[in-house]
Amino acid sequence: MNFFKRLVTPMAFTFLSCSAIAAPTSAEVDALKAEFMKTQTEKGFEPDEISQFIANAEYNQAVIDAMTKPWEAKPWHQYYPIFLTEKRLDKGLAFWNEHADLIAKASKEFNVDPQIIVAIIGIETFYGGYMGNYPVKDALYTLGFHYPPRAKFFRSEFANLQSLVKEERLDINNLKGSYAGAMGFGQFIPSSYRHYAVDFDNDGKRDLLNSKADAIGSVANYFHQHGWQKGQPVTLQLTLNKDLPDNLKTWSGERLHYKVADILSPEVALAESMDLDVSQPAMLVKLEQADHDEYWLGLKNFYVITRYNRSPLYAMAVYQFSQELKKAYVTQ
């Protein structure tokens, strides 16, 4: 089957090359560490345990290299073969069949479509096959103290990691994840782990590293908490009668500010006619094919997927994969 041929290329992403980032000086790093010490002390940690927590983390250049060349920066023809494969679909169908009761329970309890739960775990880690080999403490330390463009965010995640390890009694020295410090079957960063993880197998702990049940429930809860609308459309292809009107801007990561009615017009129409609430929030997504541009109407559910990963490329891949999973599950 070549059902993934209809997947499309998203708008270009920009990223900073290694050479474009000025490394902080030793004095600047020391100042950041002092600030971190103060913040964590105010949260109730003892100075000695904070110092030890920092001292146990090491700088990792490979993390910086990966961050400056993310997969989402690749063109679609290089990106989609990584994720959208027959092998992943087969693995996803097997995962769904094996955990059908848990997935159905999570879908009902959190009001999230089951295929989205299965798709996320498949796209993120190939159902636990690739959960990352970067030491989480090193990744977050490196980005939090040595990557100025997003240092504040990752220092916050480094702080959340210290709390998470204490709360969930995790072995920090053997905690592996992505270059951005995401962990487990669903690749939760520490703040997401703390705020959205659930004990779905009722064994008294929230274990996203080893428990598939907890991972399934936690992904469902994440989507629920971000406003997923079960059974509602996610994204719809548009047709343009001529050039995009000057008053419309394509989505670039901001909060939804358009309504459907702001986007649809005689010049910009749905590729397939359907009844649609034109007062609902929406975005306009530009997807670049090799020889032309496509435009898509992203609805609230599409925006929710981007809360997991802000790339519209990622959101489209998750959505399309989820649709193929649903088709395969229903027709098996």
Side-chain angles (χ1 to χ4, degrees):
M1 288 188 298
N2 280 326
F3 50 73
F4 290 126
K5 279 189 175 179
R6 59 191 176 86
L7 290 167
V8 290
T9 310
M11 62 176 138
F13 253 65
T14 58
F15 57 90
L16 296 172
S17 67
C18 292
S19 60
I21 300 172
T25 65
S26 296
E28 289 171 334
V29 172
D30 288 342
L32 293 177
K33 289 180 178 178
E35 177 189 335
F36 183 84
M37 289 279 296
K38 181 177 182 294
T39 301
Q40 291 301 86
T41 301
E42 292 171 352
K43 293 179 181 177
F45 288 97
E46 295 296 329
D48 286 348
E49 63 179 326
I50 305 169
S51 296
Q52 187 63 34
F53 184 71
I54 296 174
N56 282 340
E58 298 180 355
Y59 175 84
N60 187 336
Q61 180 61 42
V63 169
I64 299 293
D65 295 341
M67 179 58 67
T68 53
K69 294 183 179 180
W71 285 342
E72 287 79 12
K74 293 179 182 293
W76 180 254
H77 66 86
Q78 293 178 11
Y79 181 88
Y80 84 81
I82 300 171
F83 301 106
L84 304 178
T85 64
E86 294 288 346
K87 185 178 179 181
R88 197 180 303 268
L89 179 64
D90 291 342
K91 188 75 171 179
L93 186 58
F95 182 88
W96 197 342
N97 285 326
E98 182 181 356
H99 304 289
D101 290 344
L102 281 170
I103 293 165
K105 179 186 175 186
S107 174
K108 181 177 181 180
E109 183 172 328
F110 296 105
N111 205 34
V112 174
D113 296 274
Q115 66 269 18
I116 285 292
I117 302 170
V118 181
I120 284 289
I121 297 174
I123 293 290
E124 288 293 334
T125 63
F126 201 81
Y127 303 101
Y130 311 106
M131 293 199 282
N133 292 314
Y134 295 88
V136 173
K137 67 181 190 308
D138 295 348
L140 294 176
Y141 167 78
T142 299
L143 295 171
F145 294 91
H146 298 275
Y147 184 67
R150 300 196 66 193
K152 183 176 181 180
F153 171 80
F154 283 108
R155 277 198 308 281
S156 175
E157 289 304 318
F158 190 59
N160 271 292
L161 177 64
Q162 185 172 22
S163 297
L164 176 67
V165 167
K166 193 170 187 177
E167 293 162 357
E168 303 297 335
R169 302 182 299 280
L170 301 177
D171 180 4
I172 191 169
N173 292 320
N174 291 307
L175 203 56
K176 300 291 183 66
S178 74
Y179 64 81
M183 299 165 278
F185 288 93
Q187 293 290 276
F188 279 33
I189 56 176
S191 61
S192 294
Y193 197 132
R194 295 185 68 208
H195 296 145
Y196 304 113
V198 297
D199 175 17
F200 209 57
D201 57 12
N202 298 312
D203 68 350
K205 59 183 178 180
R206 304 183 301 169
D207 183 4
L208 304 187
L209 307 170
N210 304 293
S211 171
K212 294 177 184 177
D214 287 0
I216 289 166
S218 298
V219 169
N221 184 47
Y222 188 97
F223 274 76
H224 171 69
Q225 294 294 337
H226 284 83
W228 183 266
Q229 300 169 335
K230 188 176 183 180
Q232 295 302 306
V234 176
T235 182
L236 302 167
Q237 191 167 1
L238 300 168
T239 58
L240 269 63
N241 293 332
K242 51 184 180 180
D243 292 339
L244 187 71
D246 292 337
N247 64 309
L248 289 181
K249 303 298 181 184
T250 54
W251 186 74
S252 59
E254 69 276 9
R255 291 185 180 276
L256 299 184
H257 57 87
Y258 285 140
K259 291 180 169 52
V260 171
D262 297 324
I263 298 173
L264 297 185
S265 68
E267 292 79 26
V268 182
L270 294 175
E272 296 184 11
S273 297
M274 63 177 292
D275 292 331
L276 196 64
D277 177 6
V278 297
S279 67
Q280 64 180 297
M283 68 175 79
L284 179 66
V285 180
K286 177 183 175 182
L287 305 173
E288 297 176 4
Q289 290 281 33
D291 57 355
H292 68 282
D293 294 335
E294 290 183 353
Y295 290 89
W296 290 72
L297 181 71
L299 302 174
K300 175 63 182 297
N301 281 347
F302 190 86
Y303 181 75
V304 172
I305 300 175
T306 68
R307 300 309 85 196
Y308 214 97
N309 181 314
R310 293 182 185 274
S311 165
L313 181 157
Y314 173 90
M316 182 64 75
V318 167
Y319 169 67
Q320 295 281 5
F321 184 47
S322 76
Q323 293 303 100
E324 297 302 336
L325 280 166
K326 180 180 178 181
K327 183 192 303 181
Y329 186 76
V330 170
T331 59
Q332 64 183 331

